[in-house]
């Protein structure tokens, strides 16, 4: 097997490495890249099939590795002699093959031409939480569990089910459903992880009175980019809001959306499956694929988080508002979902009331959705401003502050349907303790609510 090499190496020893590599049988240097952008562009253009990268390469992260893998480019790490630290860093990122200036000729040829060098940035291979990613010294998942008592991996459960809660613009109630669904799942005895993936207007931390400074999604994404995210570290970042309910809070301000890249989201979701039996994703409204709108395919994509979340989910709850505008948006949303990878949507119509759609609202809504969007089996959540306002004001779930409300009981039924258990009826009193945020700053919420 021959190989065309793209190099992106430290300039101090790049020339020596290129000289060595270029003399190897069946190997040629296709392009010497000045930086990561150059390397990614060369890979996209098909100028090579192996990327030789050094640990010092600025910006090299899992997202970049994903890009290379997507273009069929294998990645091999390189360092000067004695570059153990760089080698360790690259291994942590999921690059197992490594060469240096003193590597014997046969080993160099093997590393650069062997199909075994295929790696790794391909999600699910090096990212598999069951596989060590950081070299021989990395403990296996089981060792990590033993070492780290904080990792609450369900002992006998298989990989968790991922439920995306998504709906179009207009604040139809995605977060209300996501938060209460996750809390009902946990109260029913099934471990749940709620992840705030709304990069336009995160709200889960406030809805649940979880401390604002909880590190959450941004920290998990950063750890993923650095190659240090695993199940125990994800468990540490996802605060326990109630027994059996972990919460990964969202990015604190919408302007930080660029920090959350799709490869990180993929890994977070994959690891989350080992952390809880049900993972509920509160997704942002926008699923326009901004990559298609841009000539620069390497630019960060505003909606990539939502698109990645939908693609990785097993179930999709499509939330719409029960009024003429909300229902029309729901119909368009079904069309939009048809253009992206996502599970079949299960419709949930929220704030159902006769005053906005006329008498017998459920029949009217069901008929419209069936006729215009082909949607059946609609779940109806009643309009209940008293219950949701009380929940918002107190930072509690409906289970805590409106346990007998039809709204809460219906969400409980959705949870029971997902987990195959009977719905729970919990007493009205607070049934857990959790770190509480100060009440006063709550008005800072939702920088773009209603977007
Ligand atoms: N069934 C309901 N009855 C009355 N009010 C509701 C109901 N569901 C949600 N609300 C209220 O509607 C508002 C928007 O709800 P929520 O934040 O859940 O929507 P969202 O779709 O997540 O919006 P955003 O675009 O801000 O993310 C909130 O004030 C919430 O309390
Ligand atoms: Mg929301």
């Amino acid at each position: 097997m021959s190989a065309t090499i793209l190099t992106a190496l430290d300039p101090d020893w790049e020339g020596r490495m290129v000289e060595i590599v270029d003399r190897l049988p069946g190997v040629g240097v296709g392009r010497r890249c000045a930086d990561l952008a150059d390397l990614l562009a060369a890979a996209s253009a098909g100028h090579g099939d192996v990327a030789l990268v050094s640990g010092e390469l600025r910006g090299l992260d899992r997202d970049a590795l994903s890009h290379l893998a997507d273009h069929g480019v294998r990645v091999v790490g390189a360092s000067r002699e004695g570059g153990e630290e760089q080698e360790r860093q690259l291994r942590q990122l999921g690059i197992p093959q490594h060469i240096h200036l003193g590597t014997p000729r046969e080993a160099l040829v093997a590393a650069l031409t062997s199909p075994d060098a295929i790696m790794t940035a391909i999600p699910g291979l090096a990212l598999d939480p069951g596989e060590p990613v950081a070299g021989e010294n990395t403990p296996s998942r089981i060792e990590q569990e033993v070492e780290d008592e904080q990792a609450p991996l369900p002992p006998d459960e298989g990989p968790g089910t991922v439920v995306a809660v998504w709906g179009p613009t207009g604040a139809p109630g995605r977060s209300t459903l996501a938060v209460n669904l996750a809390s009902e799942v946990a109260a029913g005895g099934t471990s749940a992880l709620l992840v705030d993936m709304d990069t336009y207007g995160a709200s889960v931390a406030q809805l649940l009175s979880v401390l604002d400074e909880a590190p959450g999604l941004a920290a998990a994404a950063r750890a993923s980019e650095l190659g240090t995210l695993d199940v125990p570290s994800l468990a540490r970042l996802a605060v326990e809001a109630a027994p059996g309910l972990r919460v990964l809070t969202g990015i604190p301000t919408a302007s930080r959306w660029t920090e959350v890249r799709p490869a990180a989201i993929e890994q977070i979701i994959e690891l989350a499956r080992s952390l809880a039996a049900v993972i509920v994703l509160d997704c942002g409204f926008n699923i326009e694929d901004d990559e298609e709108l841009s000539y620069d395919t390497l630019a960060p994509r505003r909606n990539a988080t939502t698109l990645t979340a939908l693609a990785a989910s097993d179930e999709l709850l499509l939330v719409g508002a029960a009024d003429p505008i909300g229902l029309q948006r729901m119909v368009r949303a079904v069309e939009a979902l048809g253009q992206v990878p996502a599970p079949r949507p299960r419709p949930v119509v929220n704030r159902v009331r006769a005053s906005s759609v006329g008498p017998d609202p459920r029949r009217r809504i069901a008929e419209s959705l069936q006729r215009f969007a082909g949607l059946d089996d609609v779940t109806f959540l009643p309009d209940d401003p008293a219950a949701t306002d009380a929940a918002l004001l107190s930072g509690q779930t409906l289970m805590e502050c409106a346990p007998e409300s039809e709204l809460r009981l219906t969400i409980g039924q959705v949870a029971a349907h997902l987990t195959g258990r009977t719905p729970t009826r919990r007493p009205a009193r607070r049934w857990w303790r959790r770190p509480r945020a100060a009440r006063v700053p709550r008005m800072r919420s939702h920088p773009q609510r209603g977007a």
Side-chain angles (χ1 to χ4, degrees):
M1 183 175 176
S2 65
T4 305
I5 313 292
L6 305 170
T7 61
L9 302 168
D10 186 327
D12 283 355
W13 46 271
E14 188 249 3
R16 276 157 66 204
M17 182 62 92
V18 166
E19 216 172 289
I20 295 170
V21 167
D22 232 1
R23 288 199 195 133
L24 298 171
V27 178
V29 174
R31 183 162 175 151
R32 297 165 68 169
C33 304
D35 53 24
L36 182 64
D38 199 6
L39 173 66
L40 297 181
S44 313
H47 289 319
D49 38 26
V50 176
L52 194 55
V53 299
S54 58
E56 297 94 347
L57 184 61
R58 270 188 69 190
L60 184 69
D61 57 19
R62 293 185 104 92
D63 211 50
L65 295 179
S66 254
H67 180 93
L68 293 169
D70 287 348
H71 289 86
V73 173
R74 297 174 274 135
V75 184
V76 175
S79 57
R80 66 167 89 223
E81 268 174 295
E84 287 86 6
E85 178 54 25
Q86 282 79 14
E87 181 169 350
R88 196 188 57 78
Q89 277 175 11
L90 292 169
R91 283 189 188 281
Q92 277 197 331
L93 270 178
I95 303 173
Q97 291 271 357
H98 200 92
I99 62 171
H100 54 80
L101 289 173
T103 303
R105 213 173 128 84
E106 302 71 44
L108 284 177
V109 175
L112 295 173
T113 60
S114 148
D116 293 345
I118 291 174
M119 37 210 74
T120 67
I122 300 163
L125 211 66
L127 306 192
D128 181 346
E131 293 295 322
V133 294
E136 312 81 53
N137 296 331
T138 304
S140 69
R141 187 171 86 176
I142 293 165
E143 286 165 342
Q144 277 169 339
E145 284 172 39
V146 173
E147 264 174 35
D148 191 332
E149 288 175 8
Q150 279 192 292
L153 293 155
D156 302 321
E157 294 174 27
T161 303
V162 178
V163 183
V165 179
W166 178 78
T169 186
R174 297 181 301 267
S175 301
T176 303
L177 177 59
V179 163
N180 288 288
L181 182 66
S183 87
E184 295 290 341
V185 166
T190 302
S191 59
L193 170 65
L194 172 63
V195 186
D196 192 336
M197 290 216 167
D198 190 340
T199 51
Y200 284 88
S203 62
V204 163
Q206 287 209 307
L207 284 168
L208 279 173
S209 275
V210 174
L211 290 171
D212 268 358
E213 56 270 26
L217 188 68
R222 200 162 41 246
S224 172
E225 302 273 312
L226 294 172
T228 56
L229 190 70
D230 53 15
V231 177
S233 58
L234 184 62
R236 279 191 292 274
L237 294 172
V239 291
E240 190 159 22
L245 174 60
R246 289 184 167 275
V247 178
L248 196 63
T249 56
I251 53 172
T253 54
S255 60
R256 288 178 58 185
W257 65 268
T258 48
E259 292 176 26
V260 184
R261 298 300 186 93
I265 293 293
E266 271 176 20
Q267 194 198 12
I268 290 167
I269 293 175
E270 206 43 50
L271 294 177
R273 291 181 191 274
S274 299
L275 194 57
V278 174
I279 300 102
V280 179
L281 310 178
D282 180 6
C283 298
F285 71 95
N286 200 340
I287 57 168
E288 265 174 35
D289 190 352
D290 27 10
E291 189 175 43
E292 287 184 0
L293 310 176
S294 161
Y295 292 110
D296 182 0
T297 53
L298 299 181
R301 291 151 60 211
R302 183 77 168 96
N303 303 322
T305 299
T306 312
L307 290 164
T308 307
L310 294 184
S313 320
D314 306 305
E315 298 278 351
L316 167 56
L317 299 181
L318 166 60
V319 190
D323 59 58
I325 293 174
L327 292 170
Q328 193 195 43
R329 285 180 179 162
M330 225 171 150
V331 172
R332 297 228 170 98
V334 174
E335 286 166 18
L337 282 172
Q339 312 298 313
V340 300
R344 198 172 60 84
R346 294 168 181 263
V348 179
V349 178
N350 189 21
R351 308 199 65 171
V352 175
R353 59 207 186 275
S355 57
S356 61
V357 280
D360 200 357
R362 294 182 180 213
R363 184 184 54 77
R364 283 170 182 251
I365 291 168
E367 280 175 7
S368 308
L369 290 180
Q370 165 38 244
R371 183 161 163 217
F372 296 110
L375 292 173
D376 293 310
D377 295 330
V378 182
T379 299
F380 299 98
L381 300 179
D383 187 38
D384 191 345
T388 52
D389 283 353
L392 264 179
L393 186 65
S394 60
Q396 292 182 323
T397 58
L398 292 169
M399 184 194 309
E400 293 171 290
C401 67
E404 299 302 329
S405 63
E406 193 193 333
L407 178 58
R408 181 254 149 152
L409 295 174
T410 313
I411 296 175
Q413 283 163 9
V414 177
H417 183 75
L418 278 171
T419 56
R421 294 174 194 255
T422 38
T424 345
R425 273 181 180 264
R426 284 267 166 185
R429 65 182 169 78
R430 177 173 280 280
W431 57 284
W432 66 73
R433 291 174 152 291
R434 61 181 172 227
R436 298 192 60 82
R439 298 251 54 83
V440 183
R442 290 182 61 76
M443 298 305 289
R444 286 189 286 123
S445 67
H446 300 292
Q448 297 193 21
R449 177 179 288 288

